[in-house]
Amino acid sequence: MNDSYLNFVNSPFGARLARSLGLPKPEVLHRYRADRPEFDGLVAIGAGREPHLLEALANLVTSIGVTSVAHESAGLWVPLANRHGLMTGRFEAAESGSHGKLTALLFDASGIEDSSQLEPLHGFFHDTLRSLGKCGRIIVLGRPPEACASPRQWTAQRALEGLTRSLGKEARRGITANLVYVEHGAENGIEATLRFFLSARSAYVSGQVVRIGVRAGADALSAFDWNQPLAGRRAVVTGAARGIGASIASVLAAEGAHVIGIDIPSARDALDSTMRQLNGTALAFDIAAPEASAQIAAALDEQGVDIVVHNAGITKDKTIAKMTDAAWQSVIDINLSAQERIDDALLAAGILRDGGRIIGVSSISGIAGNLGQTNYATSKAGVIGRVQSMAPHLRARGITINAVAPGFIETQMTAKIPLTIREAGRRMNSMSQGGQPVDVAQTIAWLAHPGSAGVSGQIVRVCGQSLIGA
Amino acid sequence: MNDSYLNFVNSPFGARLARSLGLPKPEVLHRYRADRPEFDGLVAIGAGREPHLLEALANLVTSIGVTSVAHESAGLWVPLANRHGLMTGRFEAAESGSHGKLTALLFDASGIEDSSQLEPLHGFFHDTLRSLGKCGRIIVLGRPPEACASPRQWTAQRALEGLTRSLGKEARRGITANLVYVEHGAENGIEATLRFFLSARSAYVSGQVVRIGVRAGADALSAFDWNQPLAGRRAVVTGAARGIGASIASVLAAEGAHVIGIDIPSARDALDSTMRQLNGTALAFDIAAPEASAQIAAALDEQGVDIVVHNAGITKDKTIAKMTDAAWQSVIDINLSAQERIDDALLAAGILRDGGRIIGVSSISGIAGNLGQTNYATSKAGVIGRVQSMAPHLRARGITINAVAPGFIETQMTAKIPLTIREAGRRMNSMSQGGQPVDVAQTIAWLAHPGSAGVSGQIVRVCGQSLIGA
């Protein structure tokens, strides 16, 4: 729960000592606080040839109320910003020595159609990266490669991944770098996602690639308030009594949702206490029980539900030669099969309403595999399959399904890992530290957001751009 | 070029010292040698419910001439093997204490349709893994998730990835673990791929997922000899003068191909010497020159070509703030745009014959990004896009396009990396060592194989299951 090294090297004495010894100094990440402005500072805009997203970016900049400066690659920005009545200026290369003036770098690469047109990306980040402050944000915007008309365009757009991930590894200082592919026609659906990636809510999300598609069904977003986007919505969270589940419940409640927390009967007291603080509803069910999905459906039937977060999960680690059949079966069942049973029950009865959200919790182990976790990694890889397979099925009903894949998160579970392994897990990422439960919870809240209707079938890692992958 | 730690800990004194100090002892990997049998030993067969691939596996076992034993999960194997006239027996759990009797573990998971049916995988690997010898092989066979009829089946098949990657991390001792998804109807196209993954040719390929699809065009494979599969075929290799390129040329020539090596004029002497040893043809061209693609096409026009390997590549590492425009441009151009120009020239003129093979070289940096390599990672991510975008276009002509993505390979280039970084790169994989150029070359030879007609659009890492990924 506590990274004492991070605290130490950010104390006055510790910082001096770390500097003199050449030790790594992980940045204290800025995280969302309701009492601080969510957006501020100066955003630099860059662009490749014929950018398609500047209008949408101008709307975003207007909505969140930041000041922008145009890099020379984005000559179209100044007149556009003027038309939107925005304060804007030009980014002067001479300023590039003055570190820390910018809070975000946004590059619109959507018009790049050939590998020979990638040069403006170099120009922009070459000129601006040193001016980006601590915990700054890098967002590259492109078109989904697989939807591109020509192989040349697909290739150039796919190349953006290598750039963005490299920038995340170079930038350090708590800076995140993410790539957002915007489908043709989805330009007006980018705001919720860009707000997430620009804000402190995405503190531990870096090196990710997210696709925004055209929303199924209605043209207009259902109305919502950016300050309470989940107001009037009902959210089920499994495993909500403690830890990451309680954090998810808390963040969804803060965004306005009524939370129905589910946990096993033995955790009833903790669940009741967590739900009482959030004005939520506690339901004690063991999701491993065959009858649980029907019971959960019955309990939710009358009022329905808008958001389902499958957070409940267990580990029973052993190498496979020493793993009992029961340890294998229970991990697969609780982490994967129970999600399938619950979703099927809620979907068949229409309890999960149209326009709803399903969010699973996968894991870096499900992506990369892990020693001693054949059961856990199999179940968490299955969660990825679940998301990818269900997304097209649910599209007609406007329901999205996605998963988060946490890396090293500081919890009671990870606190039990032996120190040297824990330290390796903590430091082997671009943030040089573990994440907090709230980082997972905020990512889930973005996926649950009514403005995220175009985000479905995706796996988003919350791992600080962990080195570990597949 | 030389891993002195690996050599030391595998010497009699070094092994004793490593054992007493608890140091890691990377296994000396078995690699292909023409003077040794490619396949031998005892293969254990396991299966989930209603396996679809046992017939194809029986054909394979017959073809390569190994002895098999059936795990209790694969009760159908014994009568099937008997019908094929194979020596076979039953795997006795009592033997599981006697380490090292098995050379491969093959599990047919193709009939698994639901997460509740995954248990036989645990049973099989629980019982057999300890009996698998050094440099043994684990192959899990399934169905491509995205082609599954139901979300439940897709989910269960996708879960196999988490298992296979975990097994690779647990097994150690030079053992590889890979997952092969066989499309419905492609059952008869598995032999070349399974031969590769079973043999010493795939020594450094682990943790990979490969899909075998139905071959486009002709139903029958064009005839070939398993001992000289590339006989009569012409293969172009760029960057062939030295290093990995020379190794690729050498392996393709050993498989029977006539190799046309291309390299820059300044490397002409080395290129001539390499090609002379292989009875190949040397072509000195600078692929960065705008006219090079037309010149290469003209040089190859008369006799045509069957295999194109885009191996030429350069690095010009700097953080982006210090990277010159020229360093950015030349890396993108040589590593990516030149491949596009050459392919387009060869394809437009029909010089690359129907049924041909294009093989690109990507990199772990292209997958995960890398500090100081924004240019290189962008170009190598673009190679992935190139493969994915061109595969469907080339299908009608029976041409496949794939890429290898090397991890840490022992070359003159990596020998220049500072020792501590080099050691980290070498050890952070399931083999605890770097790969050899021949590991990349053998993987390319498998993709170039006439029996690999169903393998296209794929990226195969040659990285010893590196921890590093995205």
Short mmCIF file of all heavy atoms in Angstrom, two decimals, chain A residues 71-98:
data_model
loop_
_atom_site.label_atom_id
_atom_site.label_comp_id
_atom_site.label_asym_id
_atom_site.label_seq_id
_atom_site.Cartn_x
_atom_site.Cartn_y
_atom_site.Cartn_z
N HIS A 71 2.37 24.86 -32.83
CA HIS A 71 3.69 24.59 -33.38
C HIS A 71 3.66 24.91 -34.87
O HIS A 71 2.60 24.92 -35.49
CB HIS A 71 4.04 23.12 -33.15
CG HIS A 71 5.38 22.72 -33.69
ND1 HIS A 71 5.52 22.03 -34.87
CD2 HIS A 71 6.62 22.91 -33.20
CE1 HIS A 71 6.81 21.80 -35.08
NE2 HIS A 71 7.50 22.34 -34.10
N GLU A 72 4.83 25.13 -35.45
CA GLU A 72 4.86 25.51 -36.87
C GLU A 72 4.25 24.44 -37.78
O GLU A 72 3.76 24.73 -38.87
CB GLU A 72 6.29 25.83 -37.32
CG GLU A 72 7.21 24.65 -37.17
CD GLU A 72 8.66 24.96 -37.62
OE1 GLU A 72 8.98 26.14 -37.82
OE2 GLU A 72 9.43 24.01 -37.74
N SER A 73 4.22 23.18 -37.27
CA SER A 73 3.61 22.12 -38.08
C SER A 73 2.10 22.26 -38.17
O SER A 73 1.46 21.66 -39.05
CB SER A 73 3.95 20.75 -37.46
OG SER A 73 3.43 20.66 -36.14
N ALA A 74 1.51 23.05 -37.27
CA ALA A 74 0.05 23.19 -37.24
C ALA A 74 -0.34 24.63 -37.57
O ALA A 74 -0.99 25.32 -36.78
CB ALA A 74 -0.49 22.79 -35.86
N GLY A 75 0.03 25.06 -38.76
CA GLY A 75 -0.24 26.44 -39.16
C GLY A 75 -1.72 26.77 -39.21
O GLY A 75 -2.12 27.93 -39.04
N LEU A 76 -2.53 25.74 -39.41
CA LEU A 76 -3.98 25.97 -39.50
C LEU A 76 -4.61 26.30 -38.15
O LEU A 76 -5.75 26.74 -38.08
CB LEU A 76 -4.67 24.72 -40.07
CG LEU A 76 -4.28 24.30 -41.48
CD1 LEU A 76 -4.80 22.90 -41.79
CD2 LEU A 76 -4.87 25.32 -42.48
N TRP A 77 -3.87 26.02 -37.08
CA TRP A 77 -4.48 26.14 -35.75
C TRP A 77 -4.82 27.58 -35.38
O TRP A 77 -5.89 27.84 -34.82
CB TRP A 77 -3.57 25.53 -34.68
CG TRP A 77 -4.17 25.60 -33.30
CD1 TRP A 77 -3.86 26.48 -32.32
CD2 TRP A 77 -5.20 24.76 -32.79
NE1 TRP A 77 -4.63 26.25 -31.21
CE2 TRP A 77 -5.48 25.20 -31.48
CE3 TRP A 77 -5.94 23.69 -33.31
CZ2 TRP A 77 -6.44 24.59 -30.68
CZ3 TRP A 77 -6.90 23.08 -32.51
CH2 TRP A 77 -7.14 23.54 -31.21
N VAL A 78 -3.95 28.52 -35.71
CA VAL A 78 -4.16 29.89 -35.23
C VAL A 78 -5.46 30.49 -35.77
O VAL A 78 -6.30 30.96 -34.99
CB VAL A 78 -2.94 30.78 -35.51
CG1 VAL A 78 -3.21 32.22 -35.11
CG2 VAL A 78 -1.72 30.25 -34.72
N PRO A 79 -5.68 30.45 -37.10
CA PRO A 79 -6.97 30.99 -37.59
C PRO A 79 -8.18 30.23 -37.04
O PRO A 79 -9.21 30.82 -36.72
CB PRO A 79 -6.86 30.84 -39.11
CG PRO A 79 -5.70 29.93 -39.37
CD PRO A 79 -4.79 30.06 -38.21
N LEU A 80 -8.03 28.91 -36.91
CA LEU A 80 -9.12 28.09 -36.38
C LEU A 80 -9.44 28.48 -34.94
O LEU A 80 -10.60 28.67 -34.55
CB LEU A 80 -8.72 26.61 -36.47
CG LEU A 80 -9.74 25.58 -36.00
CD1 LEU A 80 -10.95 25.59 -36.92
CD2 LEU A 80 -9.10 24.19 -35.97
N ALA A 81 -8.39 28.62 -34.14
CA ALA A 81 -8.57 29.00 -32.74
C ALA A 81 -9.19 30.38 -32.64
O ALA A 81 -10.07 30.62 -31.81
CB ALA A 81 -7.22 28.96 -32.01
N ASN A 82 -8.76 31.27 -33.54
CA ASN A 82 -9.35 32.61 -33.54
C ASN A 82 -10.85 32.54 -33.82
O ASN A 82 -11.64 33.21 -33.18
CB ASN A 82 -8.65 33.50 -34.57
CG ASN A 82 -7.25 33.89 -34.09
OD1 ASN A 82 -6.97 33.85 -32.89
ND2 ASN A 82 -6.39 34.25 -35.04
N ARG A 83 -11.23 31.72 -34.80
CA ARG A 83 -12.66 31.55 -35.10
C ARG A 83 -13.44 31.04 -33.89
O ARG A 83 -14.60 31.35 -33.71
CB ARG A 83 -12.85 30.57 -36.27
CG ARG A 83 -12.71 31.20 -37.64
CD ARG A 83 -13.52 30.47 -38.71
NE ARG A 83 -13.15 29.06 -38.86
CZ ARG A 83 -12.05 28.63 -39.48
NH1 ARG A 83 -11.21 29.50 -40.01
NH2 ARG A 83 -11.79 27.34 -39.57
N HIS A 84 -12.78 30.21 -33.07
CA HIS A 84 -13.44 29.69 -31.86
C HIS A 84 -13.33 30.67 -30.69
O HIS A 84 -13.75 30.35 -29.58
CB HIS A 84 -12.81 28.35 -31.44
CG HIS A 84 -13.34 27.18 -32.21
ND1 HIS A 84 -12.96 26.90 -33.51
CD2 HIS A 84 -14.25 26.22 -31.88
CE1 HIS A 84 -13.59 25.81 -33.94
NE2 HIS A 84 -14.38 25.38 -32.97
N GLY A 85 -12.72 31.83 -30.95
CA GLY A 85 -12.58 32.81 -29.88
C GLY A 85 -11.62 32.38 -28.79
O GLY A 85 -11.75 32.77 -27.63
N LEU A 86 -10.64 31.53 -29.16
CA LEU A 86 -9.69 31.03 -28.17
C LEU A 86 -8.47 31.93 -28.09
O LEU A 86 -8.01 32.45 -29.10
CB LEU A 86 -9.22 29.63 -28.56
CG LEU A 86 -10.26 28.53 -28.56
CD1 LEU A 86 -9.69 27.27 -29.20
CD2 LEU A 86 -10.69 28.25 -27.13
N MET A 87 -7.94 32.05 -26.88
CA MET A 87 -6.61 32.63 -26.71
C MET A 87 -5.62 31.66 -27.33
O MET A 87 -5.63 30.47 -27.00
CB MET A 87 -6.27 32.72 -25.22
CG MET A 87 -7.03 33.75 -24.46
SD MET A 87 -5.87 35.02 -23.88
CE MET A 87 -4.78 34.02 -22.86
N THR A 88 -4.76 32.12 -28.19
CA THR A 88 -3.76 31.20 -28.73
C THR A 88 -2.54 31.98 -29.17
O THR A 88 -2.57 33.21 -29.28
CB THR A 88 -4.33 30.37 -29.89
OG1 THR A 88 -3.45 29.28 -30.16
CG2 THR A 88 -4.48 31.20 -31.16
N GLY A 89 -1.47 31.28 -29.40
CA GLY A 89 -0.25 31.91 -29.88
C GLY A 89 0.55 30.89 -30.65
O GLY A 89 0.05 29.81 -30.96
N ARG A 90 1.78 31.26 -30.97
CA ARG A 90 2.64 30.31 -31.67
C ARG A 90 3.70 29.79 -30.72
O ARG A 90 4.22 30.55 -29.90
CB ARG A 90 3.30 30.99 -32.88
CG ARG A 90 2.30 31.34 -33.95
CD ARG A 90 2.95 31.98 -35.17
NE ARG A 90 1.91 32.46 -36.07
CZ ARG A 90 1.23 31.67 -36.91
NH1 ARG A 90 1.52 30.39 -36.99
NH2 ARG A 90 0.28 32.17 -37.69
N PHE A 91 4.00 28.52 -30.85
CA PHE A 91 5.08 27.95 -30.07
C PHE A 91 6.39 28.41 -30.68
O PHE A 91 6.64 28.20 -31.87
CB PHE A 91 5.02 26.43 -30.06
CG PHE A 91 6.16 25.80 -29.31
CD1 PHE A 91 6.10 25.69 -27.92
CD2 PHE A 91 7.28 25.34 -29.96
CE1 PHE A 91 7.15 25.14 -27.22
CE2 PHE A 91 8.34 24.78 -29.26
CZ PHE A 91 8.27 24.68 -27.89
N GLU A 92 7.22 29.06 -29.87
CA GLU A 92 8.49 29.55 -30.37
C GLU A 92 9.59 28.57 -30.01
O GLU A 92 9.77 28.23 -28.84
CB GLU A 92 8.81 30.93 -29.77
CG GLU A 92 7.76 31.99 -30.06
CD GLU A 92 7.65 32.32 -31.56
OE1 GLU A 92 8.62 32.08 -32.31
OE2 GLU A 92 6.58 32.83 -31.96
N ALA A 93 10.32 28.14 -31.03
CA ALA A 93 11.39 27.17 -30.80
C ALA A 93 12.39 27.70 -29.78
O ALA A 93 12.99 26.95 -29.03
CB ALA A 93 12.10 26.83 -32.09
N ALA A 94 12.56 29.02 -29.73
CA ALA A 94 13.50 29.63 -28.79
C ALA A 94 13.11 29.31 -27.36
O ALA A 94 13.97 29.23 -26.48
CB ALA A 94 13.56 31.13 -29.00
N GLU A 95 11.80 29.11 -27.12
CA GLU A 95 11.35 28.81 -25.76
C GLU A 95 11.72 27.41 -25.32
O GLU A 95 11.53 27.04 -24.16
CB GLU A 95 9.82 28.91 -25.68
CG GLU A 95 9.26 30.28 -25.97
CD GLU A 95 7.73 30.21 -26.00
OE1 GLU A 95 7.15 29.85 -24.96
OE2 GLU A 95 7.13 30.51 -27.05
N SER A 96 12.19 26.58 -26.27
CA SER A 96 12.32 25.17 -25.95
C SER A 96 13.35 24.92 -24.85
O SER A 96 13.37 23.86 -24.26
CB SER A 96 12.66 24.35 -27.20
OG SER A 96 13.93 24.75 -27.69
N GLY A 97 14.19 25.92 -24.58
CA GLY A 97 15.09 25.76 -23.45
C GLY A 97 14.38 25.91 -22.12
O GLY A 97 14.78 25.33 -21.12
N SER A 98 13.30 26.66 -22.10
CA SER A 98 12.62 26.94 -20.84
C SER A 98 11.69 25.80 -20.48
O SER A 98 10.53 25.77 -20.85
CB SER A 98 11.82 28.24 -20.98
OG SER A 98 10.95 28.15 -22.08
#
